[in-house]
Amino acid sequence: MTLHHFTIDVEEYFHASALERAAPRTAWDGLPHRVEESLRRLTDLMGECDVRGTLFVLGWVAARHRSLIRELASAGHEIASHGWDHRRVTHQRPDEFRECVRRSKSVLEDLTGEAVEGFRAPSYSIVPGREWALDILIEEGYRYDSSLFPVRRRGYGYAGGGRDPHWLERPSGRLAEVPPATLRVGGVNLPAGGGAYFRLLPYGLTRAAFAQAERRGAPATFYTHPWEIDEAQPRLAVSAGTRLRHYGGIARMPAQLRRLLSTYRFQPIADTLRIRAAVRAGR
């Protein structure tokens, strides 16, 4: 049976890129913080289904919820980096990005006592023209990335990228890439790995993407956020489109996630990479 990846981008509701104008960085510390409660709801649901996942944690969150991150690492979840303060790669210079991934890795490793191997860019913002970020990840000691979403979409996407875990050969060395799940229809990759696509579109889209991955013998990588199950989060003043994208479908998320978690088997991304490396080495 194929072992898939259930991943969580650990951030507050106000970190979402879609809410940047309504919740500027200068306002963050004055807004209600809800990530601990909603993340516990998510990981409790995972526990009910005996699932260990990969948590891409913002350094900003880890610095404010140290005991929670230690607790989740002790429960067997992989702790990986989501950067420091949810600034997209497209909004950073190389030196700023280096400081971001170095700082978050250091804080997370100090908290857990374990090496942080993985990174996911906020809003999948390693896009064509920003491949220098991959070299910086290698230089800073990361083993894999999960940022190249192989879809064509305004704002993010790495059209033409691989759909399954694969190796990237870069000037700085070798890096594993673990992209979110997609559904191939008529020669086009459709996003089907989680987020608003999972909340707003029929469950069958995700089921079909997982089925395609299993036929290829590859893991599907699913992603969600703590705020996606938090009906009580403050409603910020945003456009109708943003309101649908951020708040739509939240009420049905627990049932949808329970269905997903009880149907498929999952393991942390780092475990998949270790197993594949061992098989390749003939152990």
Side-chain angles (χ1 to χ4, degrees), residues 248-276:
I250 286 178
R252 67 175 187 160
M253 273 293 278
Q256 291 277 80
L257 289 172
R258 183 174 282 106
R259 181 180 181 183
L260 182 82
L261 291 167
S262 60
T263 300
Y264 302 99
R265 294 180 61 197
F266 298 89
Q267 69 180 0
I269 292 174
D271 287 5
T272 295
L273 297 179
R274 274 190 279 274
I275 291 168
R276 291 189 170 203

PDB file of all heavy atoms in Angstrom, residues 248-276:
ATOM      1  N   GLY A 248     -14.406  30.000   2.989  1.00  0.00           N
ATOM      2  CA  GLY A 248     -15.358  29.056   2.417  1.00  0.00           C
ATOM      3  C   GLY A 248     -15.038  27.607   2.755  1.00  0.00           C
ATOM      4  O   GLY A 248     -13.886  27.180   2.706  1.00  0.00           O
ATOM      5  N   GLY A 249     -16.058  26.842   3.101  1.00  0.00           N
ATOM      6  CA  GLY A 249     -15.903  25.406   3.317  1.00  0.00           C
ATOM      7  C   GLY A 249     -15.311  24.999   4.640  1.00  0.00           C
ATOM      8  O   GLY A 249     -15.100  23.801   4.887  1.00  0.00           O
ATOM      9  N   ILE A 250     -15.036  25.935   5.531  1.00  0.00           N
ATOM     10  CA  ILE A 250     -14.395  25.587   6.798  1.00  0.00           C
ATOM     11  C   ILE A 250     -15.276  24.669   7.644  1.00  0.00           C
ATOM     12  O   ILE A 250     -14.773  23.744   8.298  1.00  0.00           O
ATOM     13  CB  ILE A 250     -14.006  26.868   7.575  1.00  0.00           C
ATOM     14  CG1 ILE A 250     -12.788  27.522   6.908  1.00  0.00           C
ATOM     15  CG2 ILE A 250     -13.708  26.566   9.039  1.00  0.00           C
ATOM     16  CD1 ILE A 250     -12.352  28.812   7.568  1.00  0.00           C
ATOM     17  N   ALA A 251     -16.590  24.886   7.625  1.00  0.00           N
ATOM     18  CA  ALA A 251     -17.489  24.108   8.474  1.00  0.00           C
ATOM     19  C   ALA A 251     -17.421  22.607   8.178  1.00  0.00           C
ATOM     20  O   ALA A 251     -17.572  21.778   9.085  1.00  0.00           O
ATOM     21  CB  ALA A 251     -18.930  24.611   8.306  1.00  0.00           C
ATOM     22  N   ARG A 252     -17.194  22.254   6.931  1.00  0.00           N
ATOM     23  CA  ARG A 252     -17.184  20.824   6.593  1.00  0.00           C
ATOM     24  C   ARG A 252     -15.798  20.193   6.652  1.00  0.00           C
ATOM     25  O   ARG A 252     -15.645  18.997   6.410  1.00  0.00           O
ATOM     26  CB  ARG A 252     -17.782  20.622   5.209  1.00  0.00           C
ATOM     27  CG  ARG A 252     -16.968  21.188   4.059  1.00  0.00           C
ATOM     28  CD  ARG A 252     -17.585  20.822   2.729  1.00  0.00           C
ATOM     29  NE  ARG A 252     -16.752  21.196   1.617  1.00  0.00           N
ATOM     30  CZ  ARG A 252     -16.848  20.689   0.394  1.00  0.00           C
ATOM     31  NH1 ARG A 252     -17.758  19.772   0.145  1.00  0.00           N
ATOM     32  NH2 ARG A 252     -16.052  21.087  -0.575  1.00  0.00           N
ATOM     33  N   MET A 253     -14.791  20.994   6.979  1.00  0.00           N
ATOM     34  CA  MET A 253     -13.421  20.469   6.946  1.00  0.00           C
ATOM     35  C   MET A 253     -13.163  19.308   7.901  1.00  0.00           C
ATOM     36  O   MET A 253     -12.513  18.324   7.515  1.00  0.00           O
ATOM     37  CB  MET A 253     -12.421  21.594   7.205  1.00  0.00           C
ATOM     38  CG  MET A 253     -12.026  22.338   5.943  1.00  0.00           C
ATOM     39  SD  MET A 253     -11.078  21.326   4.775  1.00  0.00           S
ATOM     40  CE  MET A 253      -9.433  21.465   5.484  1.00  0.00           C
ATOM     41  N   PRO A 254     -13.591  19.343   9.163  1.00  0.00           N
ATOM     42  CA  PRO A 254     -13.296  18.199  10.024  1.00  0.00           C
ATOM     43  C   PRO A 254     -13.780  16.874   9.459  1.00  0.00           C
ATOM     44  O   PRO A 254     -13.042  15.874   9.480  1.00  0.00           O
ATOM     45  CB  PRO A 254     -14.013  18.564  11.333  1.00  0.00           C
ATOM     46  CG  PRO A 254     -14.020  20.057  11.343  1.00  0.00           C
ATOM     47  CD  PRO A 254     -14.237  20.452   9.906  1.00  0.00           C
ATOM     48  N   ALA A 255     -15.006  16.846   8.937  1.00  0.00           N
ATOM     49  CA  ALA A 255     -15.531  15.606   8.368  1.00  0.00           C
ATOM     50  C   ALA A 255     -14.756  15.199   7.120  1.00  0.00           C
ATOM     51  O   ALA A 255     -14.456  14.010   6.910  1.00  0.00           O
ATOM     52  CB  ALA A 255     -17.014  15.767   8.040  1.00  0.00           C
ATOM     53  N   GLN A 256     -14.406  16.183   6.289  1.00  0.00           N
ATOM     54  CA  GLN A 256     -13.643  15.890   5.074  1.00  0.00           C
ATOM     55  C   GLN A 256     -12.265  15.332   5.412  1.00  0.00           C
ATOM     56  O   GLN A 256     -11.783  14.379   4.795  1.00  0.00           O
ATOM     57  CB  GLN A 256     -13.487  17.166   4.236  1.00  0.00           C
ATOM     58  CG  GLN A 256     -14.764  17.677   3.596  1.00  0.00           C
ATOM     59  CD  GLN A 256     -15.071  16.965   2.284  1.00  0.00           C
ATOM     60  OE1 GLN A 256     -15.591  15.847   2.289  1.00  0.00           O
ATOM     61  NE2 GLN A 256     -14.762  17.595   1.178  1.00  0.00           N
ATOM     62  N   LEU A 257     -11.621  15.943   6.391  1.00  0.00           N
ATOM     63  CA  LEU A 257     -10.291  15.490   6.777  1.00  0.00           C
ATOM     64  C   LEU A 257     -10.344  14.105   7.416  1.00  0.00           C
ATOM     65  O   LEU A 257      -9.469  13.263   7.169  1.00  0.00           O
ATOM     66  CB  LEU A 257      -9.646  16.488   7.741  1.00  0.00           C
ATOM     67  CG  LEU A 257      -9.227  17.821   7.117  1.00  0.00           C
ATOM     68  CD1 LEU A 257      -8.783  18.794   8.205  1.00  0.00           C
ATOM     69  CD2 LEU A 257      -8.099  17.626   6.103  1.00  0.00           C
ATOM     70  N   ARG A 258     -11.352  13.870   8.242  1.00  0.00           N
ATOM     71  CA  ARG A 258     -11.481  12.537   8.859  1.00  0.00           C
ATOM     72  C   ARG A 258     -11.654  11.471   7.771  1.00  0.00           C
ATOM     73  O   ARG A 258     -11.076  10.375   7.867  1.00  0.00           O
ATOM     74  CB  ARG A 258     -12.659  12.536   9.831  1.00  0.00           C
ATOM     75  CG  ARG A 258     -12.812  11.191  10.565  1.00  0.00           C
ATOM     76  CD  ARG A 258     -13.893  11.243  11.630  1.00  0.00           C
ATOM     77  NE  ARG A 258     -13.410  11.919  12.832  1.00  0.00           N
ATOM     78  CZ  ARG A 258     -13.767  13.133  13.195  1.00  0.00           C
ATOM     79  NH1 ARG A 258     -14.594  13.837  12.432  1.00  0.00           N
ATOM     80  NH2 ARG A 258     -13.303  13.664  14.302  1.00  0.00           N
ATOM     81  N   ARG A 259     -12.405  11.787   6.760  1.00  0.00           N
ATOM     82  CA  ARG A 259     -12.587  10.846   5.642  1.00  0.00           C
ATOM     83  C   ARG A 259     -11.263  10.567   4.958  1.00  0.00           C
ATOM     84  O   ARG A 259     -10.922   9.406   4.687  1.00  0.00           O
ATOM     85  CB  ARG A 259     -13.593  11.427   4.656  1.00  0.00           C
ATOM     86  CG  ARG A 259     -13.903  10.545   3.465  1.00  0.00           C
ATOM     87  CD  ARG A 259     -14.919  11.228   2.550  1.00  0.00           C
ATOM     88  NE  ARG A 259     -15.249  10.388   1.399  1.00  0.00           N
ATOM     89  CZ  ARG A 259     -16.059  10.772   0.414  1.00  0.00           C
ATOM     90  NH1 ARG A 259     -16.622  11.982   0.454  1.00  0.00           N
ATOM     91  NH2 ARG A 259     -16.306   9.956  -0.607  1.00  0.00           N
ATOM     92  N   LEU A 260     -10.497  11.604   4.687  1.00  0.00           N
ATOM     93  CA  LEU A 260      -9.197  11.439   4.024  1.00  0.00           C
ATOM     94  C   LEU A 260      -8.242  10.625   4.894  1.00  0.00           C
ATOM     95  O   LEU A 260      -7.603   9.663   4.428  1.00  0.00           O
ATOM     96  CB  LEU A 260      -8.602  12.817   3.730  1.00  0.00           C
ATOM     97  CG  LEU A 260      -7.270  12.823   2.992  1.00  0.00           C
ATOM     98  CD1 LEU A 260      -7.490  12.661   1.492  1.00  0.00           C
ATOM     99  CD2 LEU A 260      -6.508  14.130   3.259  1.00  0.00           C
ATOM    100  N   LEU A 261      -8.138  11.005   6.161  1.00  0.00           N
ATOM    101  CA  LEU A 261      -7.169  10.375   7.059  1.00  0.00           C
ATOM    102  C   LEU A 261      -7.506   8.918   7.357  1.00  0.00           C
ATOM    103  O   LEU A 261      -6.613   8.117   7.639  1.00  0.00           O
ATOM    104  CB  LEU A 261      -7.084  11.164   8.362  1.00  0.00           C
ATOM    105  CG  LEU A 261      -6.445  12.554   8.258  1.00  0.00           C
ATOM    106  CD1 LEU A 261      -6.697  13.353   9.530  1.00  0.00           C
ATOM    107  CD2 LEU A 261      -4.955  12.454   7.984  1.00  0.00           C
ATOM    108  N   SER A 262      -8.779   8.573   7.300  1.00  0.00           N
ATOM    109  CA  SER A 262      -9.174   7.192   7.577  1.00  0.00           C
ATOM    110  C   SER A 262      -9.164   6.318   6.326  1.00  0.00           C
ATOM    111  O   SER A 262      -9.222   5.090   6.425  1.00  0.00           O
ATOM    112  CB  SER A 262     -10.562   7.163   8.223  1.00  0.00           C
ATOM    113  OG  SER A 262     -11.531   7.742   7.373  1.00  0.00           O
ATOM    114  N   THR A 263      -9.069   6.940   5.150  1.00  0.00           N
ATOM    115  CA  THR A 263      -9.077   6.181   3.897  1.00  0.00           C
ATOM    116  C   THR A 263      -7.676   5.783   3.454  1.00  0.00           C
ATOM    117  O   THR A 263      -7.471   4.667   2.942  1.00  0.00           O
ATOM    118  CB  THR A 263      -9.742   7.011   2.776  1.00  0.00           C
ATOM    119  OG1 THR A 263     -11.089   7.313   3.146  1.00  0.00           O
ATOM    120  CG2 THR A 263      -9.721   6.267   1.451  1.00  0.00           C
ATOM    121  N   TYR A 264      -6.706   6.694   3.655  1.00  0.00           N
ATOM    122  CA  TYR A 264      -5.351   6.470   3.159  1.00  0.00           C
ATOM    123  C   TYR A 264      -4.373   6.335   4.319  1.00  0.00           C
ATOM    124  O   TYR A 264      -4.656   6.727   5.454  1.00  0.00           O
ATOM    125  CB  TYR A 264      -4.920   7.633   2.253  1.00  0.00           C
ATOM    126  CG  TYR A 264      -5.845   7.835   1.076  1.00  0.00           C
ATOM    127  CD1 TYR A 264      -6.835   8.820   1.107  1.00  0.00           C
ATOM    128  CD2 TYR A 264      -5.742   7.036  -0.060  1.00  0.00           C
ATOM    129  CE1 TYR A 264      -7.700   9.001   0.031  1.00  0.00           C
ATOM    130  CE2 TYR A 264      -6.600   7.219  -1.132  1.00  0.00           C
ATOM    131  CZ  TYR A 264      -7.580   8.195  -1.081  1.00  0.00           C
ATOM    132  OH  TYR A 264      -8.431   8.363  -2.142  1.00  0.00           O
ATOM    133  N   ARG A 265      -3.211   5.816   4.004  1.00  0.00           N
ATOM    134  CA  ARG A 265      -2.139   5.715   4.987  1.00  0.00           C
ATOM    135  C   ARG A 265      -1.098   6.791   4.703  1.00  0.00           C
ATOM    136  O   ARG A 265      -0.838   7.117   3.537  1.00  0.00           O
ATOM    137  CB  ARG A 265      -1.498   4.326   4.955  1.00  0.00           C
ATOM    138  CG  ARG A 265      -2.435   3.203   5.397  1.00  0.00           C
ATOM    139  CD  ARG A 265      -1.739   1.868   5.350  1.00  0.00           C
ATOM    140  NE  ARG A 265      -0.593   1.844   6.245  1.00  0.00           N
ATOM    141  CZ  ARG A 265       0.396   0.945   6.186  1.00  0.00           C
ATOM    142  NH1 ARG A 265       0.385   0.023   5.228  1.00  0.00           N
ATOM    143  NH2 ARG A 265       1.393   0.978   7.044  1.00  0.00           N
ATOM    144  N   PHE A 266      -0.504   7.308   5.777  1.00  0.00           N
ATOM    145  CA  PHE A 266       0.417   8.425   5.652  1.00  0.00           C
ATOM    146  C   PHE A 266       1.664   8.194   6.491  1.00  0.00           C
ATOM    147  O   PHE A 266       1.646   7.445   7.476  1.00  0.00           O
ATOM    148  CB  PHE A 266      -0.256   9.725   6.137  1.00  0.00           C
ATOM    149  CG  PHE A 266      -1.464  10.126   5.353  1.00  0.00           C
ATOM    150  CD1 PHE A 266      -2.730   9.654   5.706  1.00  0.00           C
ATOM    151  CD2 PHE A 266      -1.356  10.975   4.261  1.00  0.00           C
ATOM    152  CE1 PHE A 266      -3.854  10.040   4.992  1.00  0.00           C
ATOM    153  CE2 PHE A 266      -2.476  11.361   3.539  1.00  0.00           C
ATOM    154  CZ  PHE A 266      -3.727  10.890   3.906  1.00  0.00           C
ATOM    155  N   GLN A 267       2.735   8.858   6.100  1.00  0.00           N
ATOM    156  CA  GLN A 267       3.939   8.920   6.914  1.00  0.00           C
ATOM    157  C   GLN A 267       4.629  10.256   6.643  1.00  0.00           C
ATOM    158  O   GLN A 267       4.373  10.916   5.628  1.00  0.00           O
ATOM    159  CB  GLN A 267       4.889   7.764   6.597  1.00  0.00           C
ATOM    160  CG  GLN A 267       5.546   7.817   5.232  1.00  0.00           C
ATOM    161  CD  GLN A 267       6.483   6.638   5.003  1.00  0.00           C
ATOM    162  OE1 GLN A 267       6.663   5.772   5.854  1.00  0.00           O
ATOM    163  NE2 GLN A 267       7.098   6.587   3.834  1.00  0.00           N
ATOM    164  N   PRO A 268       5.506  10.690   7.555  1.00  0.00           N
ATOM    165  CA  PRO A 268       6.227  11.954   7.327  1.00  0.00           C
ATOM    166  C   PRO A 268       7.071  11.900   6.054  1.00  0.00           C
ATOM    167  O   PRO A 268       7.560  10.842   5.655  1.00  0.00           O
ATOM    168  CB  PRO A 268       7.098  12.087   8.579  1.00  0.00           C
ATOM    169  CG  PRO A 268       6.370  11.315   9.630  1.00  0.00           C
ATOM    170  CD  PRO A 268       5.772  10.139   8.902  1.00  0.00           C
ATOM    171  N   ILE A 269       7.255  13.049   5.444  1.00  0.00           N
ATOM    172  CA  ILE A 269       8.050  13.117   4.216  1.00  0.00           C
ATOM    173  C   ILE A 269       9.458  12.588   4.440  1.00  0.00           C
ATOM    174  O   ILE A 269       9.998  11.853   3.599  1.00  0.00           O
ATOM    175  CB  ILE A 269       8.085  14.567   3.691  1.00  0.00           C
ATOM    176  CG1 ILE A 269       6.703  14.992   3.195  1.00  0.00           C
ATOM    177  CG2 ILE A 269       9.116  14.714   2.564  1.00  0.00           C
ATOM    178  CD1 ILE A 269       6.608  16.453   2.799  1.00  0.00           C
ATOM    179  N   ALA A 270      10.075  12.958   5.548  1.00  0.00           N
ATOM    180  CA  ALA A 270      11.450  12.517   5.811  1.00  0.00           C
ATOM    181  C   ALA A 270      11.557  11.003   5.843  1.00  0.00           C
ATOM    182  O   ALA A 270      12.569  10.434   5.421  1.00  0.00           O
ATOM    183  CB  ALA A 270      11.964  13.123   7.118  1.00  0.00           C
ATOM    184  N   ASP A 271      10.528  10.314   6.329  1.00  0.00           N
ATOM    185  CA  ASP A 271      10.543   8.850   6.362  1.00  0.00           C
ATOM    186  C   ASP A 271      10.532   8.283   4.950  1.00  0.00           C
ATOM    187  O   ASP A 271      11.247   7.317   4.643  1.00  0.00           O
ATOM    188  CB  ASP A 271       9.346   8.317   7.142  1.00  0.00           C
ATOM    189  CG  ASP A 271       9.473   8.511   8.639  1.00  0.00           C
ATOM    190  OD1 ASP A 271      10.458   9.153   9.074  1.00  0.00           O
ATOM    191  OD2 ASP A 271       8.595   8.038   9.385  1.00  0.00           O
ATOM    192  N   THR A 272       9.715   8.869   4.078  1.00  0.00           N
ATOM    193  CA  THR A 272       9.687   8.421   2.682  1.00  0.00           C
ATOM    194  C   THR A 272      11.061   8.553   2.041  1.00  0.00           C
ATOM    195  O   THR A 272      11.543   7.628   1.365  1.00  0.00           O
ATOM    196  CB  THR A 272       8.665   9.248   1.880  1.00  0.00           C
ATOM    197  OG1 THR A 272       7.354   8.991   2.378  1.00  0.00           O
ATOM    198  CG2 THR A 272       8.714   8.894   0.396  1.00  0.00           C
ATOM    199  N   LEU A 273      11.712   9.691   2.252  1.00  0.00           N
ATOM    200  CA  LEU A 273      13.013   9.918   1.629  1.00  0.00           C
ATOM    201  C   LEU A 273      14.067   8.967   2.181  1.00  0.00           C
ATOM    202  O   LEU A 273      14.920   8.475   1.440  1.00  0.00           O
ATOM    203  CB  LEU A 273      13.437  11.363   1.823  1.00  0.00           C
ATOM    204  CG  LEU A 273      12.531  12.409   1.159  1.00  0.00           C
ATOM    205  CD1 LEU A 273      13.050  13.812   1.434  1.00  0.00           C
ATOM    206  CD2 LEU A 273      12.408  12.167  -0.341  1.00  0.00           C
ATOM    207  N   ARG A 274      14.011   8.685   3.475  1.00  0.00           N
ATOM    208  CA  ARG A 274      14.980   7.748   4.057  1.00  0.00           C
ATOM    209  C   ARG A 274      14.781   6.339   3.507  1.00  0.00           C
ATOM    210  O   ARG A 274      15.748   5.628   3.201  1.00  0.00           O
ATOM    211  CB  ARG A 274      14.868   7.751   5.580  1.00  0.00           C
ATOM    212  CG  ARG A 274      15.701   8.834   6.250  1.00  0.00           C
ATOM    213  CD  ARG A 274      15.749   8.657   7.751  1.00  0.00           C
ATOM    214  NE  ARG A 274      14.563   9.169   8.382  1.00  0.00           N
ATOM    215  CZ  ARG A 274      14.403  10.441   8.744  1.00  0.00           C
ATOM    216  NH1 ARG A 274      15.358  11.316   8.501  1.00  0.00           N
ATOM    217  NH2 ARG A 274      13.298  10.844   9.328  1.00  0.00           N
ATOM    218  N   ILE A 275      13.533   5.926   3.389  1.00  0.00           N
ATOM    219  CA  ILE A 275      13.247   4.590   2.864  1.00  0.00           C
ATOM    220  C   ILE A 275      13.727   4.473   1.420  1.00  0.00           C
ATOM    221  O   ILE A 275      14.359   3.483   1.030  1.00  0.00           O
ATOM    222  CB  ILE A 275      11.745   4.273   2.972  1.00  0.00           C
ATOM    223  CG1 ILE A 275      11.349   4.108   4.441  1.00  0.00           C
ATOM    224  CG2 ILE A 275      11.387   3.031   2.169  1.00  0.00           C
ATOM    225  CD1 ILE A 275       9.847   4.071   4.671  1.00  0.00           C
ATOM    226  N   ARG A 276      13.453   5.498   0.622  1.00  0.00           N
ATOM    227  CA  ARG A 276      13.877   5.454  -0.782  1.00  0.00           C
ATOM    228  C   ARG A 276      15.393   5.449  -0.906  1.00  0.00           C
ATOM    229  O   ARG A 276      15.948   4.767  -1.777  1.00  0.00           O
ATOM    230  CB  ARG A 276      13.268   6.642  -1.537  1.00  0.00           C
ATOM    231  CG  ARG A 276      11.775   6.531  -1.709  1.00  0.00           C
ATOM    232  CD  ARG A 276      11.205   7.577  -2.616  1.00  0.00           C
ATOM    233  NE  ARG A 276       9.805   7.273  -2.928  1.00  0.00           N
ATOM    234  CZ  ARG A 276       9.162   7.715  -3.979  1.00  0.00           C
ATOM    235  NH1 ARG A 276       9.777   8.479  -4.859  1.00  0.00           N
ATOM    236  NH2 ARG A 276       7.900   7.402  -4.192  1.00  0.00           N
TER     237      ARG A 276
END
